[in-house]
Amino acid sequence: MSTEILFHTIFPHEASKTWVVFVHGAGGSSAIWFRQLKAYKKEYNVLLLDLRGHGKSNNLLQNFVDNNYSFNNVSKDIIDVLDHNNITSAHFVGISLGTILIRNIAEIAPQYVSSMVLGGAVTRFNTRSNTLVYLGNIFKHFLPYMWLYRLFAFIMMPKKRHKESRLLFVREAKRLCQKEFIKWFKLAMDVNPLMQYFKEKDIDIPILYIMGKEDHMFLGPVKEMVKRHKNSVLQTIHHCGHVCNVERPDLFNQHSLAFIAQQNR
């Protein structure tokens, strides 16, 4: 177990015993869920957390220096938070790289996961994203990480209506230090082998994918995944890019809350 627990905030519900845990992506923080919090607090107990080196967990960085940054270790950070708060199972809601962590928790500790809502899900890097990761790996020690992050954010979210979510992620990423960015960047290079394993293996836990129609880097691979897995469904949102919980929170909340309510029947 980690020597310290990730920074997190809980919002208890007076009547419900059901928990919903939100997991942000690389370079973000729990602040990206500000448009979900009000709607979810009305129905469920809510847990928000900041991943290692992100948001208010950045002051815990020293305690994780000697840890290998693997998907298993970062997933176990989240499990430690659940154990710390005596949460034995929850519905998980994630965005971007956070969706991989949720899927990984479902693999290594499925008893914690009642269902998964995976927004802007990363299920495979396509040729364009692989090229970005390859170039970023070459230049990560030479260029300021914010240059690379701004470039990636623009390529992933290029349209005018993506501007708010693009700026939000860039603003949150400024809290990372260069060394931390490099560690998470190296972690991203492990995505394809892990996701190939997940693609081949179906899972009994219900999954809702919520994707923007304009999420040009990740929507195609998600469609392939859903065709293969019987417990997966896909909702796409028009006029929306990668960060669908920020760009279209009304529909994101509508689809995700209806899905979770269905699982609780």
Side-chain angles (χ1 to χ4, degrees):
M1 181 176 285
S2 303
T3 56
E4 287 195 53
I5 301 297
L6 298 176
F7 176 84
H8 60 279
T9 309
I10 60 172
F11 299 89
H13 191 279
E14 290 184 357
S16 177
K17 294 182 179 180
T18 302
W19 281 91
V20 178
V21 177
F22 287 87
V23 183
H24 64 80
S29 78
S30 55
I32 70 156
W33 302 111
F34 67 104
R35 288 180 173 161
Q36 280 66 59
L37 187 55
K38 183 179 178 180
Y40 270 82
K41 284 196 304 181
K42 289 180 181 178
E43 304 290 335
Y44 305 113
N45 301 284
V46 173
L47 187 149
L48 305 180
L49 56 84
D50 289 340
L51 297 172
R52 58 167 72 179
H54 290 68
K56 293 183 179 179
S57 290
N58 62 358
N59 61 347
L60 303 180
L61 177 59
Q62 195 61 40
N63 296 291
F64 295 125
V65 164
D66 296 328
N67 281 6
N68 292 323
Y69 270 45
S70 66
F71 280 110
N72 277 0
N73 283 340
V74 178
S75 299
K76 287 172 183 174
D77 291 345
I78 300 171
I79 294 171
D80 287 348
V81 175
L82 300 182
D83 290 342
H84 180 75
N85 290 282
N86 298 313
I87 300 171
T88 56
S89 66
H91 302 277
F92 283 77
V93 181
I95 194 76
S96 195
L97 202 69
T99 64
I100 303 177
L101 298 174
I102 292 171
R103 177 62 183 83
N104 198 52
I105 292 171
E107 190 66 31
I108 64 175
Q111 68 274 17
Y112 287 95
V113 186
S114 300
S115 74
M116 296 177 263
V117 176
L118 308 181
V122 179
T123 59
R124 177 171 58 81
F125 283 165
N126 61 13
T127 302
R128 183 178 298 182
S129 45
N130 272 326
T131 302
L132 276 176
V133 171
Y134 174 76
L135 292 174
N137 192 49
I138 293 174
F139 293 112
K140 67 180 185 288
H141 292 289
F142 307 103
L143 292 176
Y145 77 93
M146 285 308 302
W147 289 13
L148 290 172
Y149 199 88
R150 285 191 180 96
L151 175 63
F152 293 163
F154 185 78
I155 291 172
M156 288 172 60
M157 300 170 269
K159 292 184 179 288
K160 187 176 181 179
R161 58 174 158 259
H162 305 162
K163 183 177 180 180
E164 181 185 3
S165 51
R166 187 168 65 238
L167 292 178
L168 174 64
F169 263 64
V170 168
R171 185 171 72 245
E172 290 297 321
K174 288 179 180 177
R175 298 188 183 193
L176 292 177
C177 67
Q178 182 89 5
K179 288 182 179 179
E180 185 71 6
F181 174 82
I182 290 171
K183 289 177 181 179
W184 278 87
F185 198 91
K186 288 179 178 177
L187 190 64
M189 298 185 71
D190 295 333
V191 165
N192 273 1
L194 182 65
M195 297 313 295
Q196 182 61 36
Y197 170 73
F198 290 159
K199 182 179 179 180
E200 299 299 329
K201 183 182 179 184
D202 202 351
I203 194 166
D204 289 334
I205 299 169
I207 305 174
L208 169 65
Y209 292 93
I210 304 180
M211 305 292 293
K213 284 271 192 179
E214 297 168 353
D215 193 349
H216 58 95
M217 291 178 69
F218 300 114
L219 178 56
V222 167
K223 288 180 176 179
E224 293 177 17
M225 187 80 85
V226 171
K227 285 179 181 178
R228 298 173 69 102
H229 295 168
K230 65 181 187 300
N231 289 313
S232 298
V233 293
L234 170 63
Q235 286 279 1
T236 55
I237 301 177
H238 290 277
H239 308 301
C240 182
H242 182 60
V243 193
C244 47
N245 68 302
V246 172
E247 292 176 31
R248 295 301 304 274
D250 51 343
L251 289 174
F252 184 93
N253 294 348
Q254 177 186 323
H255 293 318
S256 57
L257 283 167
F259 175 77
I260 291 173
Q262 186 179 24
Q263 311 314 313
N264 287 335
R265 287 174 187 165

